[in-house]
mmCIF file with all atom_site columns, all heavy atoms in Angstrom:
data_model
loop_
_atom_site.group_PDB
_atom_site.id
_atom_site.type_symbol
_atom_site.label_atom_id
_atom_site.label_alt_id
_atom_site.label_comp_id
_atom_site.label_asym_id
_atom_site.label_entity_id
_atom_site.label_seq_id
_atom_site.pdbx_PDB_ins_code
_atom_site.Cartn_x
_atom_site.Cartn_y
_atom_site.Cartn_z
_atom_site.occupancy
_atom_site.B_iso_or_equiv
_atom_site.pdbx_formal_charge
_atom_site.auth_seq_id
_atom_site.auth_comp_id
_atom_site.auth_asym_id
_atom_site.auth_atom_id
_atom_site.pdbx_PDB_model_num
ATOM 1  N N   . VAL W 1 4  ? -15.949 18.568 -3.264  1.00 0.00 ? 303 VAL W N   1
ATOM 2  C CA  . VAL W 1 4  ? -14.853 18.075 -4.111  1.00 0.00 ? 303 VAL W CA  1
ATOM 3  C C   . VAL W 1 4  ? -15.276 18.202 -5.567  1.00 0.00 ? 303 VAL W C   1
ATOM 4  O O   . VAL W 1 4  ? -16.278 17.589 -5.981  1.00 0.00 ? 303 VAL W O   1
ATOM 5  C CB  . VAL W 1 4  ? -14.527 16.598 -3.790  1.00 0.00 ? 303 VAL W CB  1
ATOM 6  C CG1 . VAL W 1 4  ? -13.426 16.075 -4.717  1.00 0.00 ? 303 VAL W CG1 1
ATOM 7  C CG2 . VAL W 1 4  ? -14.107 16.454 -2.327  1.00 0.00 ? 303 VAL W CG2 1
ATOM 8  N N   . THR W 1 5  ? -14.518 18.973 -6.364  1.00 0.00 ? 304 THR W N   1
ATOM 9  C CA  . THR W 1 5  ? -14.797 19.062 -7.802  1.00 0.00 ? 304 THR W CA  1
ATOM 10 C C   . THR W 1 5  ? -14.004 17.975 -8.526  1.00 0.00 ? 304 THR W C   1
ATOM 11 O O   . THR W 1 5  ? -13.052 17.416 -7.986  1.00 0.00 ? 304 THR W O   1
ATOM 12 C CB  . THR W 1 5  ? -14.449 20.461 -8.353  1.00 0.00 ? 304 THR W CB  1
ATOM 13 O OG1 . THR W 1 5  ? -13.037 20.664 -8.254  1.00 0.00 ? 304 THR W OG1 1
ATOM 14 C CG2 . THR W 1 5  ? -15.172 21.551 -7.584  1.00 0.00 ? 304 THR W CG2 1
ATOM 15 N N   . GLY W 1 6  ? -14.438 17.676 -9.745  1.00 0.00 ? 305 GLY W N   1
ATOM 16 C CA  . GLY W 1 6  ? -13.769 16.610 -10.519 1.00 0.00 ? 305 GLY W CA  1
ATOM 17 C C   . GLY W 1 6  ? -13.957 15.247 -9.880  1.00 0.00 ? 305 GLY W C   1
ATOM 18 O O   . GLY W 1 6  ? -13.116 14.354 -10.017 1.00 0.00 ? 305 GLY W O   1
ATOM 19 N N   . ALA W 1 7  ? -15.093 15.072 -9.209  1.00 0.00 ? 306 ALA W N   1
ATOM 20 C CA  . ALA W 1 7  ? -15.270 13.928 -8.310  1.00 0.00 ? 306 ALA W CA  1
ATOM 21 C C   . ALA W 1 7  ? -15.373 12.581 -9.009  1.00 0.00 ? 306 ALA W C   1
ATOM 22 O O   . ALA W 1 7  ? -15.251 11.544 -8.358  1.00 0.00 ? 306 ALA W O   1
ATOM 23 C CB  . ALA W 1 7  ? -16.508 14.154 -7.431  1.00 0.00 ? 306 ALA W CB  1
ATOM 24 N N   . THR W 1 8  ? -15.589 12.586 -10.329 1.00 0.00 ? 307 THR W N   1
ATOM 25 C CA  . THR W 1 8  ? -15.609 11.301 -11.036 1.00 0.00 ? 307 THR W CA  1
ATOM 26 C C   . THR W 1 8  ? -14.243 10.984 -11.645 1.00 0.00 ? 307 THR W C   1
ATOM 27 O O   . THR W 1 8  ? -14.075 9.957  -12.293 1.00 0.00 ? 307 THR W O   1
ATOM 28 C CB  . THR W 1 8  ? -16.659 11.319 -12.177 1.00 0.00 ? 307 THR W CB  1
ATOM 29 O OG1 . THR W 1 8  ? -16.382 12.448 -13.020 1.00 0.00 ? 307 THR W OG1 1
ATOM 30 C CG2 . THR W 1 8  ? -18.070 11.424 -11.640 1.00 0.00 ? 307 THR W CG2 1
ATOM 31 N N   . GLY W 1 9  ? -13.263 11.880 -11.464 1.00 0.00 ? 308 GLY W N   1
ATOM 32 C CA  . GLY W 1 9  ? -11.955 11.706 -12.090 1.00 0.00 ? 308 GLY W CA  1
ATOM 33 C C   . GLY W 1 9  ? -10.982 10.921 -11.227 1.00 0.00 ? 308 GLY W C   1
ATOM 34 O O   . GLY W 1 9  ? -11.296 10.536 -10.089 1.00 0.00 ? 308 GLY W O   1
ATOM 35 N N   . ASN W 1 10 ? -9.786  10.699 -11.779 1.00 0.00 ? 309 ASN W N   1
ATOM 36 C CA  . ASN W 1 10 ? -8.759  9.919  -11.072 1.00 0.00 ? 309 ASN W CA  1
ATOM 37 C C   . ASN W 1 10 ? -8.471  10.502 -9.690  1.00 0.00 ? 309 ASN W C   1
ATOM 38 O O   . ASN W 1 10 ? -8.411  9.771  -8.696  1.00 0.00 ? 309 ASN W O   1
ATOM 39 C CB  . ASN W 1 10 ? -7.454  9.923  -11.887 1.00 0.00 ? 309 ASN W CB  1
ATOM 40 C CG  . ASN W 1 10 ? -7.598  9.218  -13.215 1.00 0.00 ? 309 ASN W CG  1
ATOM 41 O OD1 . ASN W 1 10 ? -8.031  8.067  -13.273 1.00 0.00 ? 309 ASN W OD1 1
ATOM 42 N ND2 . ASN W 1 10 ? -7.248  9.898  -14.289 1.00 0.00 ? 309 ASN W ND2 1
ATOM 43 N N   . VAL W 1 11 ? -8.285  11.826 -9.641  1.00 0.00 ? 310 VAL W N   1
ATOM 44 C CA  . VAL W 1 11 ? -7.910  12.461 -8.377  1.00 0.00 ? 310 VAL W CA  1
ATOM 45 C C   . VAL W 1 11 ? -9.139  12.734 -7.514  1.00 0.00 ? 310 VAL W C   1
ATOM 46 O O   . VAL W 1 11 ? -9.180  12.365 -6.329  1.00 0.00 ? 310 VAL W O   1
ATOM 47 C CB  . VAL W 1 11 ? -7.140  13.778 -8.638  1.00 0.00 ? 310 VAL W CB  1
ATOM 48 C CG1 . VAL W 1 11 ? -6.906  14.534 -7.332  1.00 0.00 ? 310 VAL W CG1 1
ATOM 49 C CG2 . VAL W 1 11 ? -5.819  13.475 -9.322  1.00 0.00 ? 310 VAL W CG2 1
ATOM 50 N N   . GLY W 1 12 ? -10.160 13.366 -8.116  1.00 0.00 ? 311 GLY W N   1
ATOM 51 C CA  . GLY W 1 12 ? -11.321 13.761 -7.328  1.00 0.00 ? 311 GLY W CA  1
ATOM 52 C C   . GLY W 1 12 ? -11.971 12.584 -6.616  1.00 0.00 ? 311 GLY W C   1
ATOM 53 O O   . GLY W 1 12 ? -12.374 12.697 -5.443  1.00 0.00 ? 311 GLY W O   1
ATOM 54 N N   . ALA W 1 13 ? -12.069 11.455 -7.303  1.00 0.00 ? 312 ALA W N   1
ATOM 55 C CA  . ALA W 1 13 ? -12.691 10.279 -6.673  1.00 0.00 ? 312 ALA W CA  1
ATOM 56 C C   . ALA W 1 13 ? -11.897 9.847  -5.441  1.00 0.00 ? 312 ALA W C   1
ATOM 57 O O   . ALA W 1 13 ? -12.479 9.385  -4.443  1.00 0.00 ? 312 ALA W O   1
ATOM 58 C CB  . ALA W 1 13 ? -12.779 9.131  -7.677  1.00 0.00 ? 312 ALA W CB  1
ATOM 59 N N   . GLN W 1 14 ? -10.583 10.017 -5.510  1.00 0.00 ? 313 GLN W N   1
ATOM 60 C CA  . GLN W 1 14 ? -9.750  9.642  -4.355  1.00 0.00 ? 313 GLN W CA  1
ATOM 61 C C   . GLN W 1 14 ? -9.877  10.652 -3.218  1.00 0.00 ? 313 GLN W C   1
ATOM 62 O O   . GLN W 1 14 ? -9.760  10.293 -2.044  1.00 0.00 ? 313 GLN W O   1
ATOM 63 C CB  . GLN W 1 14 ? -8.282  9.500  -4.785  1.00 0.00 ? 313 GLN W CB  1
ATOM 64 C CG  . GLN W 1 14 ? -8.035  8.319  -5.697  1.00 0.00 ? 313 GLN W CG  1
ATOM 65 C CD  . GLN W 1 14 ? -8.361  6.985  -5.032  1.00 0.00 ? 313 GLN W CD  1
ATOM 66 O OE1 . GLN W 1 14 ? -8.314  6.853  -3.801  1.00 0.00 ? 313 GLN W OE1 1
ATOM 67 N NE2 . GLN W 1 14 ? -8.690  5.993  -5.825  1.00 0.00 ? 313 GLN W NE2 1
ATOM 68 N N   . VAL W 1 15 ? -10.123 11.913 -3.563  1.00 0.00 ? 314 VAL W N   1
ATOM 69 C CA  . VAL W 1 15 ? -10.333 12.916 -2.510  1.00 0.00 ? 314 VAL W CA  1
ATOM 70 C C   . VAL W 1 15 ? -11.663 12.616 -1.802  1.00 0.00 ? 314 VAL W C   1
ATOM 71 O O   . VAL W 1 15 ? -11.734 12.618 -0.562  1.00 0.00 ? 314 VAL W O   1
ATOM 72 C CB  . VAL W 1 15 ? -10.315 14.349 -3.084  1.00 0.00 ? 314 VAL W CB  1
ATOM 73 C CG1 . VAL W 1 15 ? -10.539 15.363 -1.959  1.00 0.00 ? 314 VAL W CG1 1
ATOM 74 C CG2 . VAL W 1 15 ? -9.013  14.631 -3.820  1.00 0.00 ? 314 VAL W CG2 1
ATOM 75 N N   . VAL W 1 16 ? -12.693 12.314 -2.594  1.00 0.00 ? 315 VAL W N   1
ATOM 76 C CA  . VAL W 1 16 ? -13.997 11.971 -2.002  1.00 0.00 ? 315 VAL W CA  1
ATOM 77 C C   . VAL W 1 16 ? -13.838 10.757 -1.081  1.00 0.00 ? 315 VAL W C   1
ATOM 78 O O   . VAL W 1 16 ? -14.315 10.755 0.071   1.00 0.00 ? 315 VAL W O   1
ATOM 79 C CB  . VAL W 1 16 ? -15.038 11.674 -3.105  1.00 0.00 ? 315 VAL W CB  1
ATOM 80 C CG1 . VAL W 1 16 ? -16.330 11.122 -2.499  1.00 0.00 ? 315 VAL W CG1 1
ATOM 81 C CG2 . VAL W 1 16 ? -15.324 12.930 -3.917  1.00 0.00 ? 315 VAL W CG2 1
ATOM 82 N N   . ARG W 1 17 ? -13.145 9.719  -1.579  1.00 0.00 ? 316 ARG W N   1
ATOM 83 C CA  . ARG W 1 17 ? -12.961 8.496  -0.783  1.00 0.00 ? 316 ARG W CA  1
ATOM 84 C C   . ARG W 1 17 ? -12.249 8.813  0.542   1.00 0.00 ? 316 ARG W C   1
ATOM 85 O O   . ARG W 1 17 ? -12.676 8.363  1.612   1.00 0.00 ? 316 ARG W O   1
ATOM 86 C CB  . ARG W 1 17 ? -12.127 7.475  -1.588  1.00 0.00 ? 316 ARG W CB  1
ATOM 87 C CG  . ARG W 1 17 ? -11.762 6.212  -0.813  1.00 0.00 ? 316 ARG W CG  1
ATOM 88 C CD  . ARG W 1 17 ? -10.565 5.479  -1.395  1.00 0.00 ? 316 ARG W CD  1
ATOM 89 N NE  . ARG W 1 17 ? -9.380  6.306  -1.537  1.00 0.00 ? 316 ARG W NE  1
ATOM 90 C CZ  . ARG W 1 17 ? -8.597  6.713  -0.532  1.00 0.00 ? 316 ARG W CZ  1
ATOM 91 N NH1 . ARG W 1 17 ? -8.868  6.348  0.721   1.00 0.00 ? 316 ARG W NH1 1
ATOM 92 N NH2 . ARG W 1 17 ? -7.549  7.492  -0.752  1.00 0.00 ? 316 ARG W NH2 1
ATOM 93 N N   . ALA W 1 18 ? -11.164 9.609  0.436   1.00 0.00 ? 317 ALA W N   1
ATOM 94 C CA  . ALA W 1 18 ? -10.356 9.866  1.634   1.00 0.00 ? 317 ALA W CA  1
ATOM 95 C C   . ALA W 1 18 ? -11.107 10.730 2.649   1.00 0.00 ? 317 ALA W C   1
ATOM 96 O O   . ALA W 1 18 ? -10.996 10.501 3.861   1.00 0.00 ? 317 ALA W O   1
ATOM 97 C CB  . ALA W 1 18 ? -9.037  10.531 1.232   1.00 0.00 ? 317 ALA W CB  1
#
Side-chain angles (χ1 to χ4, degrees):
V303 178
T304 65
T307 54
N309 295 306
V310 173
Q313 292 298 334
V314 180
V315 172
R316 175 201 55 74

